[in-house]
Amino acid sequence: MPALDDLSLLIEAARRSGQIATSFTGKTAQRWDKPDDAGPVTEADLAVNAMLHQTLTAARPDYGWLSEESDDGTRRLGQRDLFIVDPIDGTRSFIEGSDTWSHSLAIARDGRITAAVVFLPMLDRLYAAAAGAGATLNGQSISVSDIATLPEATVLATKPVMDMQHWAKGDPGFKRAHRPSLAYRLGLVGQGRFDGMVTLRKSWEWDIAAGALIVTEAGGQCTDRTGQPLRFNNPDPRLNGVVAGGGAVHAALLSGLAQTQATP
């Protein structure tokens, strides 16, 4: 199935996701806490997930399925194509009534992302990319920033990332900013609004898959924390951290990082 056809499917599904999610009021939506401190889930997450599973798997019955809100199994490992979905990335922000949560939808073929959408319905921002076709925001082409050095850069990262134990050469020197949704952070890097993004924790594939393609199709680099290419549809669907940015910033971030194991 051509990547552009898959992308059209994801765009339509993302917009339907936004209609469902915004029909709930985040602060009053029924919510539960997942086991093992895995964070909250709301009835909106589950409603979006149910629609996406029904719609997407009906359209592509041969594709596997991996979602934050679905039980996982081994069947997907034998499937060449795979949907990778986070029905609401930034559920805490959704609960708080913020506008920076997103829907993150991607398709992987043989472990590589081929189509991707990150949609923020409250901001009406739809990031999209297909392999070899570039990246867009609301239909307009986007590209990563051309900032060349870390002291010039503003990088999306959490406060713990700035702990000096993570940086082999001391203070990396960049200005830090933050957004709660990992998918949105990657979209912002692809857009060039921020120069890079770092997360050192093990990262779920559904948080990263869509944004990773948006960054690379916008001309940037997106790897794990050691510089290894990202590969998806792993038996354990977690990645060894993520580093993204324009070529120079991405290289400088990797050069500065102490190469230790990912934070649990």
Side-chain angles (χ1 to χ4, degrees):
M1 189 67 63
L4 288 175
D5 288 347
D6 278 349
L7 180 58
S8 295
L9 175 67
L10 294 185
I11 289 172
E12 181 179 351
R15 292 204 178 277
R16 288 186 62 189
S17 298
Q19 293 170 354
I20 292 171
T22 55
S23 72
F24 293 86
T25 302
K27 293 182 179 180
T28 60
Q30 188 175 359
R31 59 163 288 180
W32 304 267
D33 290 317
K34 298 179 186 179
D36 303 319
D37 295 321
V41 61
T42 73
E43 56 185 333
D45 296 79
L46 301 181
V48 171
N49 191 66
M51 181 279 293
L52 289 173
H53 185 267
Q54 179 180 7
T55 301
L56 296 177
T57 59
R60 303 286 190 271
D62 295 333
Y63 288 19
W65 181 260
L66 176 65
S67 168
E68 180 175 13
E69 308 306 344
S70 298
D71 291 336
D72 192 20
T74 60
R75 183 171 180 268
R76 63 178 172 82
L77 299 176
Q79 293 172 285
R80 185 179 186 189
D81 299 287
L82 177 74
F83 291 109
I84 305 176
V85 169
D86 192 343
I88 297 181
D89 185 33
T91 297
R92 288 186 177 88
S93 295
F94 175 81
I95 292 168
E96 293 166 0
S98 176
D99 57 9
T100 54
W101 48 274
S102 69
H103 307 293
S104 179
L105 287 65
I107 292 173
R109 166 164 280 202
D110 298 330
R112 297 177 182 272
I113 306 302
T114 58
V117 172
V118 174
F119 180 45
L120 288 84
M122 299 301 291
L123 297 175
D124 192 27
R125 293 180 187 167
L126 191 146
Y127 298 91
T136 61
L137 170 59
N138 293 346
Q140 301 298 311
S141 295
I142 57 174
S143 60
V144 296
S145 83
D146 58 3
I147 292 295
T149 66
L150 290 186
E152 299 175 273
T154 302
V155 175
L156 291 159
T158 60
K159 288 182 180 179
V161 167
M162 306 307 295
D163 192 310
M164 288 302 101
Q165 68 175 319
H166 299 307
W167 300 94
K169 303 175 183 179
D171 186 349
F174 58 74
K175 296 180 286 296
R176 186 187 74 87
H178 180 62
R179 297 293 185 277
S181 162
L182 282 168
Y184 184 32
R185 291 181 220 171
L186 289 165
L188 288 166
V189 172
Q191 184 186 353
R193 280 190 58 193
F194 292 89
D195 307 303
M197 174 269 201
V198 179
T199 182
L200 301 178
R201 299 177 67 88
K202 286 189 176 293
S203 303
W204 294 105
E205 290 187 17
W206 49 72
D207 289 329
I208 303 301
L213 184 66
I214 290 164
V215 169
T216 56
E217 285 296 319
Q221 298 290 322
C222 190
T223 65
D224 76 5
R225 61 179 291 167
T226 71
Q228 293 299 305
L230 299 180
R231 186 168 182 84
F232 297 86
N233 199 15
N234 300 291
D236 177 359
R238 293 181 294 173
L239 305 171
N240 185 24
V242 178
V243 178
V249 166
H250 176 266
L253 289 168
L254 288 178
S255 176
L257 280 169
Q259 296 304 332
T260 59
Q261 293 298 312
T263 306

